[in-house]
Amino acid sequence: MLETIGYLAGFLTTLAFVPQVMHIYKTKSAKDVSLAMFLLFTVGVLMWLTYGVMTNSFPVVAANAVTLLLSLTILFFKFKYRNPNGI
Amino acid sequence: MLETIGYLAGFLTTLAFVPQVMHIYKTKSAKDVSLAMFLLFTVGVLMWLTYGVMTNSFPVVAANAVTLLLSLTILFFKFKYRNPNGI
Protein backbone atom coordinates (compact mmCIF):
# COMPACT_ATOMS: atom_id res chain seq x y z
CA MET A 1 0.00 0.00 0.00
CA LEU A 2 2.70 2.45 1.10
CA GLU A 3 4.98 1.41 -1.77
CA THR A 4 2.08 1.78 -4.22
CA ILE A 5 1.50 5.37 -3.06
CA GLY A 6 5.20 6.13 -3.56
CA TYR A 7 5.25 4.62 -7.05
CA LEU A 8 2.00 6.36 -8.05
CA ALA A 9 3.33 9.68 -6.70
CA GLY A 10 6.54 9.30 -8.72
CA PHE A 11 4.59 8.24 -11.81
CA LEU A 12 2.31 11.31 -11.60
CA THR A 13 5.04 13.91 -10.94
CA THR A 14 6.99 12.46 -13.90
CA LEU A 15 4.00 12.02 -16.25
CA ALA A 16 2.94 15.64 -15.53
CA PHE A 17 5.68 17.01 -17.79
CA VAL A 18 4.34 15.17 -20.88
CA PRO A 19 1.31 17.50 -21.39
CA GLN A 20 3.63 20.52 -20.88
CA VAL A 21 5.95 19.26 -23.64
CA MET A 22 2.95 18.61 -25.92
CA HIS A 23 1.40 22.00 -25.09
CA ILE A 24 4.54 23.91 -26.13
CA TYR A 25 5.04 21.70 -29.19
CA LYS A 26 1.48 22.35 -30.40
CA THR A 27 1.36 26.10 -29.71
CA LYS A 28 5.06 26.75 -30.61
CA SER A 29 5.09 29.15 -27.67
CA ALA A 30 6.82 28.91 -24.32
CA LYS A 31 6.97 32.52 -23.22
CA ASP A 32 4.91 31.96 -20.03
CA VAL A 33 7.11 29.02 -19.04
CA SER A 34 9.84 30.28 -16.69
CA LEU A 35 13.39 29.61 -17.90
CA ALA A 36 14.68 29.93 -14.32
CA MET A 37 12.17 27.31 -13.18
CA PHE A 38 13.30 24.72 -15.71
CA LEU A 39 17.00 25.49 -15.22
CA LEU A 40 16.71 25.00 -11.44
CA PHE A 41 14.42 22.01 -11.93
CA THR A 42 16.77 20.29 -14.40
CA VAL A 43 19.76 20.69 -12.07
CA GLY A 44 17.61 19.39 -9.18
CA VAL A 45 16.47 16.34 -11.18
CA LEU A 46 20.08 15.65 -12.19
CA MET A 47 20.96 15.62 -8.49
CA TRP A 48 18.01 13.29 -7.72
CA LEU A 49 19.35 11.02 -10.45
CA THR A 50 22.84 11.07 -8.86
CA TYR A 51 21.25 10.37 -5.46
CA GLY A 52 19.30 7.44 -6.96
CA VAL A 53 22.43 5.96 -8.57
CA MET A 54 24.46 6.35 -5.35
CA THR A 55 21.73 4.71 -3.24
CA ASN A 56 21.02 2.01 -5.87
CA SER A 57 17.37 3.03 -5.92
CA PHE A 58 15.89 1.91 -9.23
CA PRO A 59 12.55 3.80 -8.84
CA VAL A 60 14.40 7.08 -8.11
CA VAL A 61 16.74 6.54 -11.09
CA ALA A 62 13.95 5.54 -13.49
CA ALA A 63 11.55 8.38 -12.56
CA ASN A 64 14.27 11.03 -12.63
CA ALA A 65 15.83 9.80 -15.88
CA VAL A 66 12.45 10.24 -17.61
CA THR A 67 11.80 13.60 -15.89
CA LEU A 68 15.27 14.80 -16.92
CA LEU A 69 14.55 14.03 -20.59
CA LEU A 70 11.19 15.86 -20.42
CA SER A 71 12.69 18.80 -18.55
CA LEU A 72 15.54 19.09 -21.09
CA THR A 73 12.97 18.95 -23.92
CA ILE A 74 11.08 21.88 -22.34
CA LEU A 75 14.36 23.84 -22.01
CA PHE A 76 15.12 23.08 -25.69
CA PHE A 77 11.65 24.33 -26.69
CA LYS A 78 12.09 27.41 -24.49
CA PHE A 79 15.10 28.38 -26.61
CA LYS A 80 13.64 27.18 -29.93
CA TYR A 81 10.37 29.10 -29.54
CA ARG A 82 11.76 32.05 -27.61
CA ASN A 83 9.81 35.25 -27.91
CA PRO A 84 11.79 38.47 -28.06
CA ASN A 85 9.09 40.12 -25.92
CA GLY A 86 9.05 37.30 -23.37
CA ILE A 87 11.12 37.09 -20.23
CA MET B 1 27.70 13.74 1.34
CA LEU B 2 24.91 11.49 0.08
CA GLU B 3 22.37 13.13 2.40
CA THR B 4 23.54 16.59 1.28
CA ILE B 5 22.92 15.65 -2.39
CA GLY B 6 19.41 14.48 -1.50
CA TYR B 7 18.61 17.65 0.45
CA LEU B 8 20.06 19.88 -2.27
CA ALA B 9 18.10 17.98 -4.95
CA GLY B 10 14.87 18.41 -2.99
CA PHE B 11 15.64 22.07 -2.32
CA LEU B 12 16.23 22.77 -6.04
CA THR B 13 13.18 20.90 -7.38
CA THR B 14 11.04 22.76 -4.81
CA LEU B 15 12.68 26.19 -5.24
CA ALA B 16 12.25 25.88 -9.05
CA PHE B 17 8.53 26.67 -8.81
CA VAL B 18 9.17 30.09 -7.21
CA PRO B 19 10.38 31.79 -10.46
CA GLN B 20 7.42 30.22 -12.30
CA VAL B 21 4.97 31.74 -9.80
CA MET B 22 6.76 35.11 -10.05
CA HIS B 23 6.86 34.92 -13.88
CA ILE B 24 3.08 34.43 -14.14
CA TYR B 25 2.41 37.05 -11.47
CA LYS B 26 4.51 39.66 -13.31
CA THR B 27 3.24 38.97 -16.84
CA LYS B 28 -0.37 38.14 -15.78
CA SER B 29 -0.26 35.40 -18.41
CA ALA B 30 -0.18 31.63 -18.02
CA LYS B 31 -1.42 30.45 -21.40
CA ASP B 32 1.77 28.50 -22.23
CA VAL B 33 1.67 26.77 -18.85
CA SER B 34 -0.12 23.42 -19.24
CA LEU B 35 -3.18 22.98 -17.01
CA ALA B 36 -2.90 19.19 -17.35
CA MET B 37 0.72 19.36 -16.19
CA PHE B 38 -0.10 21.23 -12.99
CA LEU B 39 -3.21 19.14 -12.26
CA LEU B 40 -1.23 15.89 -12.54
CA PHE B 41 1.71 17.43 -10.70
CA THR B 42 -0.43 18.70 -7.82
CA VAL B 43 -2.07 15.28 -7.33
CA GLY B 44 1.40 13.66 -7.49
CA VAL B 45 2.83 16.06 -4.90
CA LEU B 46 -0.19 15.43 -2.65
CA MET B 47 0.62 11.72 -2.86
CA TRP B 48 4.31 12.39 -2.06
CA LEU B 49 3.11 14.34 0.96
CA THR B 50 0.93 11.39 2.05
CA TYR B 51 3.89 9.06 1.51
CA GLY B 52 6.12 11.36 3.60
CA VAL B 53 3.59 11.50 6.45
CA MET B 54 3.10 7.71 6.41
CA THR B 55 6.86 7.05 6.43
CA ASN B 56 7.53 9.82 9.01
CA SER B 57 10.00 11.41 6.63
CA PHE B 58 10.34 15.07 7.56
CA PRO B 59 12.37 16.10 4.45
CA VAL B 60 9.74 14.53 2.12
CA VAL B 61 6.89 16.21 4.03
CA ALA B 62 8.60 19.62 4.17
CA ALA B 63 9.68 19.71 0.50
CA ASN B 64 6.31 18.51 -0.78
CA ALA B 65 4.28 20.80 1.49
CA VAL B 66 6.10 23.81 0.00
CA THR B 67 5.87 22.43 -3.57
CA LEU B 68 2.14 21.81 -3.07
CA LEU B 69 1.56 25.45 -2.08
CA LEU B 70 3.53 26.69 -5.11
CA SER B 71 1.81 24.25 -7.47
CA LEU B 72 -1.64 25.29 -6.15
CA THR B 73 -0.65 28.95 -6.62
CA ILE B 74 0.24 28.25 -10.27
CA LEU B 75 -3.11 26.47 -10.77
CA PHE B 76 -4.89 29.46 -9.19
CA PHE B 77 -3.04 31.83 -11.56
CA LYS B 78 -3.84 29.56 -14.51
CA PHE B 79 -7.57 30.14 -13.81
CA LYS B 80 -7.19 33.78 -12.79
CA TYR B 81 -5.24 34.80 -15.91
CA ARG B 82 -6.88 32.39 -18.30
CA ASN B 83 -6.80 33.41 -21.91
CA PRO B 84 -9.88 32.59 -24.00
CA ASN B 85 -7.55 31.78 -26.91
CA GLY B 86 -5.27 29.62 -24.81
CA ILE B 87 -5.55 25.89 -24.29
Side-chain angles (χ1 to χ4, degrees):
Chain A
M1 170 65 181
L2 190 62
E3 210 171 58
T4 309
I5 292 177
Y7 274 106
L8 202 55
F11 180 70
L12 285 172
T13 48
T14 296
L15 183 75
F17 292 87
V18 174
Q20 182 64 74
V21 168
M22 288 169 63
H23 194 296
I24 300 174
Y25 182 76
K26 276 189 207 159
T27 61
K28 314 286 182 219
S29 171
K31 96 177 149 46
D32 301 333
V33 170
S34 162
L35 176 63
M37 170 184 166
F38 280 95
L39 283 176
L40 287 171
F41 197 80
T42 302
V43 176
V45 168
L46 201 60
M47 295 192 77
W48 274 129
L49 195 60
T50 309
Y51 182 83
V53 169
M54 288 171 80
T55 55
N56 289 311
S57 167
F58 176 73
V60 174
V61 171
N64 285 287
V66 176
T67 309
L68 183 65
L69 282 177
L70 293 166
S71 186
L72 285 171
T73 306
I74 292 168
L75 275 180
F76 170 76
F77 281 165
K78 180 71 185 168
F79 283 100
K80 187 174 163 73
Y81 302 128
R82 64 181 172 277
N83 183 323
N85 302 318
I87 294 168
Chain B
M1 169 65 180
L2 190 61
E3 210 170 58
T4 309
I5 292 177
Y7 274 106
L8 201 56
F11 180 71
L12 284 172
T13 49
T14 296
L15 183 76
F17 292 88
V18 174
Q20 182 64 73
V21 167
M22 287 168 63
H23 193 297
I24 300 174
Y25 182 75
K26 275 188 209 160
T27 62
K28 315 286 182 219
S29 172
K31 99 178 144 46
D32 301 333
V33 170
S34 163
L35 176 63
M37 170 181 166
F38 281 95
L39 284 176
L40 287 171
F41 197 81
T42 301
V43 176
V45 168
L46 203 59
M47 295 191 78
W48 274 129
L49 195 60
T50 310
Y51 182 84
V53 169
M54 288 171 81
T55 55
N56 290 312
S57 167
F58 176 73
V60 175
V61 171
N64 284 287
V66 176
T67 309
L68 184 65
L69 282 178
L70 293 166
S71 187
L72 285 172
T73 306
I74 292 167
L75 276 179
F76 170 75
F77 281 164
K78 180 72 186 167
F79 283 100
K80 187 174 163 74
Y81 302 127
R82 65 181 172 276
N83 183 323
N85 302 319
I87 296 170

PDB file of all heavy atoms in Angstrom, chain A residues 45-76:
ATOM      1  N   VAL A  45      16.767  17.707 -10.720  1.00  0.00           N
ATOM      2  CA  VAL A  45      16.470  16.344 -11.176  1.00  0.00           C
ATOM      3  C   VAL A  45      17.761  15.564 -11.429  1.00  0.00           C
ATOM      4  O   VAL A  45      17.868  14.375 -11.109  1.00  0.00           O
ATOM      5  CB  VAL A  45      15.565  16.376 -12.438  1.00  0.00           C
ATOM      6  CG1 VAL A  45      15.469  15.014 -13.095  1.00  0.00           C
ATOM      7  CG2 VAL A  45      14.167  16.872 -12.067  1.00  0.00           C
ATOM      8  N   LEU A  46      18.771  16.267 -11.964  1.00  0.00           N
ATOM      9  CA  LEU A  46      20.083  15.650 -12.195  1.00  0.00           C
ATOM     10  C   LEU A  46      20.693  15.201 -10.856  1.00  0.00           C
ATOM     11  O   LEU A  46      21.318  14.144 -10.772  1.00  0.00           O
ATOM     12  CB  LEU A  46      20.989  16.682 -12.877  1.00  0.00           C
ATOM     13  CG  LEU A  46      22.189  16.173 -13.652  1.00  0.00           C
ATOM     14  CD1 LEU A  46      21.783  15.245 -14.783  1.00  0.00           C
ATOM     15  CD2 LEU A  46      22.967  17.363 -14.237  1.00  0.00           C
ATOM     16  N   MET A  47      20.455  15.989  -9.814  1.00  0.00           N
ATOM     17  CA  MET A  47      20.958  15.622  -8.487  1.00  0.00           C
ATOM     18  C   MET A  47      20.147  14.465  -7.891  1.00  0.00           C
ATOM     19  O   MET A  47      20.720  13.589  -7.235  1.00  0.00           O
ATOM     20  CB  MET A  47      20.939  16.838  -7.566  1.00  0.00           C
ATOM     21  CG  MET A  47      21.901  17.900  -8.067  1.00  0.00           C
ATOM     22  SD  MET A  47      22.181  19.200  -6.872  1.00  0.00           S
ATOM     23  CE  MET A  47      23.308  18.363  -5.741  1.00  0.00           C
ATOM     24  N   TRP A  48      18.838  14.434  -8.139  1.00  0.00           N
ATOM     25  CA  TRP A  48      18.013  13.289  -7.717  1.00  0.00           C
ATOM     26  C   TRP A  48      18.512  12.021  -8.397  1.00  0.00           C
ATOM     27  O   TRP A  48      18.568  10.948  -7.786  1.00  0.00           O
ATOM     28  CB  TRP A  48      16.531  13.485  -8.075  1.00  0.00           C
ATOM     29  CG  TRP A  48      15.736  14.247  -7.073  1.00  0.00           C
ATOM     30  CD1 TRP A  48      14.939  15.320  -7.324  1.00  0.00           C
ATOM     31  CD2 TRP A  48      15.622  13.991  -5.663  1.00  0.00           C
ATOM     32  NE1 TRP A  48      14.351  15.758  -6.168  1.00  0.00           N
ATOM     33  CE2 TRP A  48      14.751  14.959  -5.131  1.00  0.00           C
ATOM     34  CE3 TRP A  48      16.179  13.052  -4.803  1.00  0.00           C
ATOM     35  CZ2 TRP A  48      14.418  15.009  -3.779  1.00  0.00           C
ATOM     36  CZ3 TRP A  48      15.851  13.101  -3.454  1.00  0.00           C
ATOM     37  CH2 TRP A  48      14.987  14.070  -2.959  1.00  0.00           C
ATOM     38  N   LEU A  49      18.861  12.155  -9.671  1.00  0.00           N
ATOM     39  CA  LEU A  49      19.355  11.018 -10.446  1.00  0.00           C
ATOM     40  C   LEU A  49      20.662  10.500  -9.833  1.00  0.00           C
ATOM     41  O   LEU A  49      20.840   9.285  -9.635  1.00  0.00           O
ATOM     42  CB  LEU A  49      19.570  11.470 -11.898  1.00  0.00           C
ATOM     43  CG  LEU A  49      19.745  10.394 -12.957  1.00  0.00           C
ATOM     44  CD1 LEU A  49      18.543   9.474 -13.031  1.00  0.00           C
ATOM     45  CD2 LEU A  49      19.947  11.052 -14.332  1.00  0.00           C
ATOM     46  N   THR A  50      21.558  11.422  -9.510  1.00  0.00           N
ATOM     47  CA  THR A  50      22.835  11.069  -8.860  1.00  0.00           C
ATOM     48  C   THR A  50      22.571  10.368  -7.529  1.00  0.00           C
ATOM     49  O   THR A  50      23.169   9.332  -7.225  1.00  0.00           O
ATOM     50  CB  THR A  50      23.655  12.366  -8.587  1.00  0.00           C
ATOM     51  OG1 THR A  50      23.730  13.113  -9.797  1.00  0.00           O
ATOM     52  CG2 THR A  50      25.044  12.052  -8.084  1.00  0.00           C
ATOM     53  N   TYR A  51      21.630  10.937  -6.759  1.00  0.00           N
ATOM     54  CA  TYR A  51      21.252  10.368  -5.464  1.00  0.00           C
ATOM     55  C   TYR A  51      20.725   8.947  -5.642  1.00  0.00           C
ATOM     56  O   TYR A  51      21.079   8.032  -4.886  1.00  0.00           O
ATOM     57  CB  TYR A  51      20.198  11.267  -4.820  1.00  0.00           C
ATOM     58  CG  TYR A  51      19.740  10.827  -3.455  1.00  0.00           C
ATOM     59  CD1 TYR A  51      20.464  11.156  -2.313  1.00  0.00           C
ATOM     60  CD2 TYR A  51      18.562  10.095  -3.305  1.00  0.00           C
ATOM     61  CE1 TYR A  51      20.039  10.759  -1.058  1.00  0.00           C
ATOM     62  CE2 TYR A  51      18.125   9.697  -2.050  1.00  0.00           C
ATOM     63  CZ  TYR A  51      18.872  10.028  -0.934  1.00  0.00           C
ATOM     64  OH  TYR A  51      18.442   9.637   0.298  1.00  0.00           O
ATOM     65  N   GLY A  52      19.870   8.758  -6.670  1.00  0.00           N
ATOM     66  CA  GLY A  52      19.298   7.437  -6.959  1.00  0.00           C
ATOM     67  C   GLY A  52      20.362   6.420  -7.330  1.00  0.00           C
ATOM     68  O   GLY A  52      20.329   5.272  -6.884  1.00  0.00           O
ATOM     69  N   VAL A  53      21.340   6.856  -8.155  1.00  0.00           N
ATOM     70  CA  VAL A  53      22.428   5.961  -8.574  1.00  0.00           C
ATOM     71  C   VAL A  53      23.271   5.584  -7.350  1.00  0.00           C
ATOM     72  O   VAL A  53      23.587   4.414  -7.139  1.00  0.00           O
ATOM     73  CB  VAL A  53      23.302   6.631  -9.669  1.00  0.00           C
ATOM     74  CG1 VAL A  53      24.574   5.836  -9.919  1.00  0.00           C
ATOM     75  CG2 VAL A  53      22.504   6.777 -10.969  1.00  0.00           C
ATOM     76  N   MET A  54      23.602   6.584  -6.521  1.00  0.00           N
ATOM     77  CA  MET A  54      24.460   6.348  -5.352  1.00  0.00           C
ATOM     78  C   MET A  54      23.785   5.485  -4.283  1.00  0.00           C
ATOM     79  O   MET A  54      24.468   4.811  -3.509  1.00  0.00           O
ATOM     80  CB  MET A  54      24.912   7.680  -4.754  1.00  0.00           C
ATOM     81  CG  MET A  54      25.938   8.387  -5.640  1.00  0.00           C
ATOM     82  SD  MET A  54      26.306  10.085  -5.100  1.00  0.00           S
ATOM     83  CE  MET A  54      27.466   9.800  -3.770  1.00  0.00           C
ATOM     84  N   THR A  55      22.435   5.525  -4.231  1.00  0.00           N
ATOM     85  CA  THR A  55      21.727   4.707  -3.238  1.00  0.00           C
ATOM     86  C   THR A  55      21.156   3.432  -3.865  1.00  0.00           C
ATOM     87  O   THR A  55      20.409   2.699  -3.222  1.00  0.00           O
ATOM     88  CB  THR A  55      20.566   5.511  -2.588  1.00  0.00           C
ATOM     89  OG1 THR A  55      19.708   5.999  -3.635  1.00  0.00           O
ATOM     90  CG2 THR A  55      21.066   6.678  -1.772  1.00  0.00           C
ATOM     91  N   ASN A  56      21.509   3.195  -5.145  1.00  0.00           N
ATOM     92  CA  ASN A  56      21.020   2.011  -5.869  1.00  0.00           C
ATOM     93  C   ASN A  56      19.499   1.907  -5.840  1.00  0.00           C
ATOM     94  O   ASN A  56      18.949   0.816  -5.685  1.00  0.00           O
ATOM     95  CB  ASN A  56      21.608   0.724  -5.277  1.00  0.00           C
ATOM     96  CG  ASN A  56      23.084   0.592  -5.585  1.00  0.00           C
ATOM     97  OD1 ASN A  56      23.483   0.753  -6.740  1.00  0.00           O
ATOM     98  ND2 ASN A  56      23.893   0.345  -4.578  1.00  0.00           N
ATOM     99  N   SER A  57      18.833   3.047  -5.949  1.00  0.00           N
ATOM    100  CA  SER A  57      17.375   3.029  -5.924  1.00  0.00           C
ATOM    101  C   SER A  57      16.827   3.107  -7.349  1.00  0.00           C
ATOM    102  O   SER A  57      16.822   4.172  -7.964  1.00  0.00           O
ATOM    103  CB  SER A  57      16.856   4.201  -5.085  1.00  0.00           C
ATOM    104  OG  SER A  57      15.469   4.350  -5.296  1.00  0.00           O
ATOM    105  N   PHE A  58      16.381   1.964  -7.850  1.00  0.00           N
ATOM    106  CA  PHE A  58      15.887   1.914  -9.233  1.00  0.00           C
ATOM    107  C   PHE A  58      14.715   2.856  -9.475  1.00  0.00           C
ATOM    108  O   PHE A  58      14.720   3.580 -10.476  1.00  0.00           O
ATOM    109  CB  PHE A  58      15.533   0.474  -9.640  1.00  0.00           C
ATOM    110  CG  PHE A  58      14.943   0.420 -11.017  1.00  0.00           C
ATOM    111  CD1 PHE A  58      15.738   0.602 -12.151  1.00  0.00           C
ATOM    112  CD2 PHE A  58      13.575   0.212 -11.193  1.00  0.00           C
ATOM    113  CE1 PHE A  58      15.190   0.585 -13.431  1.00  0.00           C
ATOM    114  CE2 PHE A  58      13.015   0.191 -12.471  1.00  0.00           C
ATOM    115  CZ  PHE A  58      13.823   0.372 -13.589  1.00  0.00           C
ATOM    116  N   PRO A  59      13.690   2.901  -8.568  1.00  0.00           N
ATOM    117  CA  PRO A  59      12.555   3.803  -8.843  1.00  0.00           C
ATOM    118  C   PRO A  59      12.991   5.273  -8.950  1.00  0.00           C
ATOM    119  O   PRO A  59      12.503   6.002  -9.820  1.00  0.00           O
ATOM    120  CB  PRO A  59      11.633   3.601  -7.637  1.00  0.00           C
ATOM    121  CG  PRO A  59      12.006   2.272  -7.081  1.00  0.00           C
ATOM    122  CD  PRO A  59      13.474   2.120  -7.335  1.00  0.00           C
ATOM    123  N   VAL A  60      13.920   5.693  -8.082  1.00  0.00           N
ATOM    124  CA  VAL A  60      14.398   7.085  -8.110  1.00  0.00           C
ATOM    125  C   VAL A  60      15.151   7.353  -9.417  1.00  0.00           C
ATOM    126  O   VAL A  60      14.958   8.383 -10.071  1.00  0.00           O
ATOM    127  CB  VAL A  60      15.287   7.400  -6.871  1.00  0.00           C
ATOM    128  CG1 VAL A  60      15.894   8.794  -6.964  1.00  0.00           C
ATOM    129  CG2 VAL A  60      14.468   7.282  -5.594  1.00  0.00           C
ATOM    130  N   VAL A  61      15.985   6.389  -9.836  1.00  0.00           N
ATOM    131  CA  VAL A  61      16.744   6.542 -11.087  1.00  0.00           C
ATOM    132  C   VAL A  61      15.789   6.592 -12.273  1.00  0.00           C
ATOM    133  O   VAL A  61      15.870   7.499 -13.112  1.00  0.00           O
ATOM    134  CB  VAL A  61      17.773   5.398 -11.274  1.00  0.00           C
ATOM    135  CG1 VAL A  61      18.398   5.448 -12.660  1.00  0.00           C
ATOM    136  CG2 VAL A  61      18.862   5.483 -10.208  1.00  0.00           C
ATOM    137  N   ALA A  62      14.866   5.640 -12.346  1.00  0.00           N
ATOM    138  CA  ALA A  62      13.946   5.543 -13.491  1.00  0.00           C
ATOM    139  C   ALA A  62      13.087   6.807 -13.622  1.00  0.00           C
ATOM    140  O   ALA A  62      13.035   7.431 -14.696  1.00  0.00           O
ATOM    141  CB  ALA A  62      13.049   4.312 -13.345  1.00  0.00           C
ATOM    142  N   ALA A  63      12.439   7.208 -12.516  1.00  0.00           N
ATOM    143  CA  ALA A  63      11.550   8.380 -12.557  1.00  0.00           C
ATOM    144  C   ALA A  63      12.326   9.638 -12.950  1.00  0.00           C
ATOM    145  O   ALA A  63      11.880  10.419 -13.794  1.00  0.00           O
ATOM    146  CB  ALA A  63      10.877   8.580 -11.194  1.00  0.00           C
ATOM    147  N   ASN A  64      13.519   9.807 -12.363  1.00  0.00           N
ATOM    148  CA  ASN A  64      14.268  11.034 -12.626  1.00  0.00           C
ATOM    149  C   ASN A  64      14.947  11.039 -13.988  1.00  0.00           C
ATOM    150  O   ASN A  64      15.166  12.113 -14.561  1.00  0.00           O
ATOM    151  CB  ASN A  64      15.246  11.322 -11.494  1.00  0.00           C
ATOM    152  CG  ASN A  64      14.513  11.845 -10.276  1.00  0.00           C
ATOM    153  OD1 ASN A  64      14.063  12.984 -10.270  1.00  0.00           O
ATOM    154  ND2 ASN A  64      14.338  11.009  -9.263  1.00  0.00           N
ATOM    155  N   ALA A  65      15.263   9.856 -14.530  1.00  0.00           N
ATOM    156  CA  ALA A  65      15.829   9.801 -15.883  1.00  0.00           C
ATOM    157  C   ALA A  65      14.780  10.283 -16.883  1.00  0.00           C
ATOM    158  O   ALA A  65      15.081  11.086 -17.775  1.00  0.00           O
ATOM    159  CB  ALA A  65      16.276   8.377 -16.210  1.00  0.00           C
ATOM    160  N   VAL A  66      13.539   9.831 -16.713  1.00  0.00           N
ATOM    161  CA  VAL A  66      12.452  10.243 -17.614  1.00  0.00           C
ATOM    162  C   VAL A  66      12.161  11.742 -17.433  1.00  0.00           C
ATOM    163  O   VAL A  66      12.048  12.485 -18.412  1.00  0.00           O
ATOM    164  CB  VAL A  66      11.173   9.398 -17.371  1.00  0.00           C
ATOM    165  CG1 VAL A  66      10.025   9.897 -18.240  1.00  0.00           C
ATOM    166  CG2 VAL A  66      11.438   7.925 -17.647  1.00  0.00           C
ATOM    167  N   THR A  67      12.066  12.182 -16.165  1.00  0.00           N
ATOM    168  CA  THR A  67      11.796  13.599 -15.889  1.00  0.00           C
ATOM    169  C   THR A  67      12.898  14.483 -16.467  1.00  0.00           C
ATOM    170  O   THR A  67      12.621  15.556 -17.007  1.00  0.00           O
ATOM    171  CB  THR A  67      11.664  13.850 -14.370  1.00  0.00           C
ATOM    172  OG1 THR A  67      10.727  12.923 -13.831  1.00  0.00           O
ATOM    173  CG2 THR A  67      11.161  15.262 -14.079  1.00  0.00           C
ATOM    174  N   LEU A  68      14.148  14.024 -16.378  1.00  0.00           N
ATOM    175  CA  LEU A  68      15.274  14.800 -16.918  1.00  0.00           C
ATOM    176  C   LEU A  68      15.117  14.996 -18.427  1.00  0.00           C
ATOM    177  O   LEU A  68      15.285  16.112 -18.937  1.00  0.00           O
ATOM    178  CB  LEU A  68      16.596  14.082 -16.612  1.00  0.00           C
ATOM    179  CG  LEU A  68      17.867  14.809 -17.043  1.00  0.00           C
ATOM    180  CD1 LEU A  68      18.048  16.113 -16.275  1.00  0.00           C
ATOM    181  CD2 LEU A  68      19.105  13.929 -16.845  1.00  0.00           C
ATOM    182  N   LEU A  69      14.748  13.938 -19.138  1.00  0.00           N
ATOM    183  CA  LEU A  69      14.548  14.030 -20.587  1.00  0.00           C
ATOM    184  C   LEU A  69      13.440  15.032 -20.922  1.00  0.00           C
ATOM    185  O   LEU A  69      13.591  15.863 -21.827  1.00  0.00           O
ATOM    186  CB  LEU A  69      14.183  12.653 -21.173  1.00  0.00           C
ATOM    187  CG  LEU A  69      15.340  11.682 -21.369  1.00  0.00           C
ATOM    188  CD1 LEU A  69      14.835  10.344 -21.891  1.00  0.00           C
ATOM    189  CD2 LEU A  69      16.373  12.266 -22.348  1.00  0.00           C
ATOM    190  N   LEU A  70      12.334  14.961 -20.176  1.00  0.00           N
ATOM    191  CA  LEU A  70      11.194  15.856 -20.421  1.00  0.00           C
ATOM    192  C   LEU A  70      11.559  17.304 -20.085  1.00  0.00           C
ATOM    193  O   LEU A  70      11.223  18.234 -20.827  1.00  0.00           O
ATOM    194  CB  LEU A  70       9.975  15.397 -19.611  1.00  0.00           C
ATOM    195  CG  LEU A  70       9.377  14.056 -20.046  1.00  0.00           C
ATOM    196  CD1 LEU A  70       8.413  13.524 -18.989  1.00  0.00           C
ATOM    197  CD2 LEU A  70       8.643  14.199 -21.382  1.00  0.00           C
ATOM    198  N   SER A  71      12.283  17.475 -18.989  1.00  0.00           N
ATOM    199  CA  SER A  71      12.693  18.799 -18.547  1.00  0.00           C
ATOM    200  C   SER A  71      13.679  19.420 -19.558  1.00  0.00           C
ATOM    201  O   SER A  71      13.585  20.618 -19.873  1.00  0.00           O
ATOM    202  CB  SER A  71      13.327  18.655 -17.161  1.00  0.00           C
ATOM    203  OG  SER A  71      13.628  19.892 -16.611  1.00  0.00           O
ATOM    204  N   LEU A  72      14.585  18.603 -20.084  1.00  0.00           N
ATOM    205  CA  LEU A  72      15.536  19.085 -21.092  1.00  0.00           C
ATOM    206  C   LEU A  72      14.810  19.432 -22.394  1.00  0.00           C
ATOM    207  O   LEU A  72      15.174  20.393 -23.077  1.00  0.00           O
ATOM    208  CB  LEU A  72      16.626  18.022 -21.358  1.00  0.00           C
ATOM    209  CG  LEU A  72      17.697  17.880 -20.278  1.00  0.00           C
ATOM    210  CD1 LEU A  72      18.576  16.670 -20.555  1.00  0.00           C
ATOM    211  CD2 LEU A  72      18.572  19.139 -20.186  1.00  0.00           C
ATOM    212  N   THR A  73      13.765  18.664 -22.716  1.00  0.00           N
ATOM    213  CA  THR A  73      12.971  18.949 -23.919  1.00  0.00           C
ATOM    214  C   THR A  73      12.289  20.312 -23.775  1.00  0.00           C
ATOM    215  O   THR A  73      12.266  21.111 -24.713  1.00  0.00           O
ATOM    216  CB  THR A  73      11.901  17.851 -24.133  1.00  0.00           C
ATOM    217  OG1 THR A  73      12.564  16.583 -24.147  1.00  0.00           O
ATOM    218  CG2 THR A  73      11.154  18.041 -25.434  1.00  0.00           C
ATOM    219  N   ILE A  74      11.745  20.586 -22.576  1.00  0.00           N
ATOM    220  CA  ILE A  74      11.082  21.876 -22.337  1.00  0.00           C
ATOM    221  C   ILE A  74      12.105  23.017 -22.441  1.00  0.00           C
ATOM    222  O   ILE A  74      11.825  24.053 -23.051  1.00  0.00           O
ATOM    223  CB  ILE A  74      10.354  21.863 -20.966  1.00  0.00           C
ATOM    224  CG1 ILE A  74       9.161  20.894 -21.031  1.00  0.00           C
ATOM    225  CG2 ILE A  74       9.875  23.275 -20.587  1.00  0.00           C
ATOM    226  CD1 ILE A  74       8.534  20.554 -19.698  1.00  0.00           C
ATOM    227  N   LEU A  75      13.300  22.816 -21.903  1.00  0.00           N
ATOM    228  CA  LEU A  75      14.359  23.838 -22.010  1.00  0.00           C
ATOM    229  C   LEU A  75      14.725  24.068 -23.485  1.00  0.00           C
ATOM    230  O   LEU A  75      14.894  25.210 -23.916  1.00  0.00           O
ATOM    231  CB  LEU A  75      15.612  23.385 -21.251  1.00  0.00           C
ATOM    232  CG  LEU A  75      15.650  23.676 -19.752  1.00  0.00           C
ATOM    233  CD1 LEU A  75      16.957  23.150 -19.161  1.00  0.00           C
ATOM    234  CD2 LEU A  75      15.522  25.170 -19.462  1.00  0.00           C
ATOM    235  N   PHE A  76      14.818  22.980 -24.245  1.00  0.00           N
ATOM    236  CA  PHE A  76      15.120  23.076 -25.686  1.00  0.00           C
ATOM    237  C   PHE A  76      14.041  23.896 -26.398  1.00  0.00           C
ATOM    238  O   PHE A  76      14.338  24.806 -27.180  1.00  0.00           O
ATOM    239  CB  PHE A  76      15.226  21.661 -26.274  1.00  0.00           C
ATOM    240  CG  PHE A  76      15.301  21.632 -27.776  1.00  0.00           C
ATOM    241  CD1 PHE A  76      16.478  21.978 -28.443  1.00  0.00           C
ATOM    242  CD2 PHE A  76      14.196  21.282 -28.528  1.00  0.00           C
ATOM    243  CE1 PHE A  76      16.543  21.964 -29.834  1.00  0.00           C
ATOM    244  CE2 PHE A  76      14.246  21.260 -29.915  1.00  0.00           C
ATOM    245  CZ  PHE A  76      15.426  21.605 -30.572  1.00  0.00           C
TER     246      PHE A  76
END
